[in-house]
Amino acid sequence: MLIILLGAPGAGKGTIARMLVEKFGIVQISTGDMLRQAVNEGTPVGKKALEFMNSGKLVPDDVIMALIEERIAQPDCAQGFIFDGFPRTIPQAHALESLLTKKNMTVNAIINLEVPEEVVLKRLTSRRTCSNPHCQAIYNIYTMPPKKEGICDKCGSSLIQRDDETEEAIKVRLETYYEKTQPLIDYYCKHKAYFAVSSLDAHETFNAIVKRLQK
Ligand SMILES: [Zn+2]
């Protein structure tokens, strides 16, 4: 099972991806998580990526493709995998297509999570992340608040608002998204595995996707 999840930052890609991972026994490949790990570990790729991430810009394709090719060759990807937040541009889609063709793999579903911009803004500015690098639990001050304000339930560390989740940074990310990724949706629309689904409630969205995949 090979799934590509599309949608603006804050469309719920991470949540839906985790639900699909559990349902189908596949691996979630989040370029965001892969990049953050590379940044935390201070690898050469991570250092290069950090400059772009801090200013809310996209990380160059060659950096991302190098990370992905390594990742999908790992044994845990044998049952399939789901891309969450990748590809973001048509050149990336082409690069991914070449990689999958090389590996003799076919995409089963290209899912576009649709959500209004004001919902995305509210979701992302309300997110808080555990400051403990070994925990990194994610909360939402409206929908998933910690038991004690500003403190992680799991490890007791303080919660922070990530630099790339302030309203200013998110507006830059959304602008970049609409500018660069909308043409990608127009491109994937013609693919037989493509479908769009409204992403306001995670469980409803998940059920709609599973129904469609089991047709
Ligand atoms: Zn924590």
Side-chain angles (χ1 to χ4, degrees):
M1 177 75 73
L2 207 172
I3 299 171
I4 294 172
L5 262 188
L6 303 170
K13 292 188 296 292
T15 305
I16 296 298
R18 280 188 288 278
M19 293 167 96
L20 291 168
V21 159
E22 201 171 307
K23 172 86 180 167
F24 295 106
I26 56 179
V27 172
Q28 178 188 359
I29 297 179
S30 160
T31 54
D33 289 346
M34 276 167 51
L35 283 168
R36 274 192 286 279
Q37 195 180 344
V39 167
N40 285 341
E41 289 170 1
T43 67
V45 176
K47 280 177 186 161
K48 210 195 273 182
L50 187 62
E51 294 169 29
F52 293 92
M53 292 163 81
N54 277 346
S55 52
K57 288 180 187 154
L58 295 178
V59 175
D61 289 354
D62 55 341
V63 176
I64 295 192
M65 289 313 298
L67 283 168
I68 287 173
E69 183 157 9
E70 267 180 22
R71 184 67 191 90
I72 67 171
Q74 287 167 20
D76 63 341
C77 285
Q79 289 300 312
F81 42 90
I82 179 165
F83 284 110
D84 147 24
F86 182 88
R88 288 190 180 177
T89 64
I90 288 178
Q92 285 181 351
H94 286 311
L96 180 62
E97 240 171 65
S98 310
L99 178 62
L100 296 178
T101 302
K102 193 171 93 182
K103 306 261 176 194
N104 204 17
M105 294 168 173
T106 318
V107 180
N108 299 87
I110 300 162
I111 306 164
N112 183 20
L113 300 180
E114 293 184 320
V115 62
E117 185 170 343
E118 63 270 20
V119 176
V120 165
L121 262 180
K122 192 182 169 193
R123 274 183 190 171
L124 289 183
T125 55
S126 59
R127 194 183 285 187
R128 297 294 179 271
T129 306
C130 177
S131 59
N132 174 357
H134 302 291
C135 175
Q136 292 187 316
I138 292 170
Y139 298 86
N140 183 298
I141 55 175
Y142 303 114
T143 59
M144 208 173 49
K147 289 189 185 95
K148 195 175 166 195
E149 198 186 326
I151 301 293
C152 178
D153 292 346
K154 291 176 186 163
C155 74
S157 303
S158 59
L159 301 181
I160 51 162
Q161 184 173 35
R162 276 179 16 200
D163 288 345
D164 60 349
E165 290 179 345
T166 61
E167 188 162 338
E168 207 172 60
I170 286 163
K171 281 186 171 160
V172 173
R173 280 165 73 191
L174 285 177
E175 238 169 71
T176 309
Y177 173 80
Y178 289 120
E179 190 183 306
K180 293 218 169 151
T181 317
Q182 194 55 48
L184 179 70
I185 299 201
D186 300 337
Y187 166 84
Y188 272 140
C189 266
K190 298 167 193 117
H191 197 292
K192 63 178 178 352
Y194 175 89
F195 60 95
V197 58
S198 166
S199 185
L200 291 174
D201 175 90
H203 288 279
E204 280 174 25
T205 304
F206 173 70
N207 290 338
I209 291 170
V210 169
K211 208 171 160 187
R212 171 82 185 225
L213 284 174
Q214 290 176 337
K215 250 184 199 170

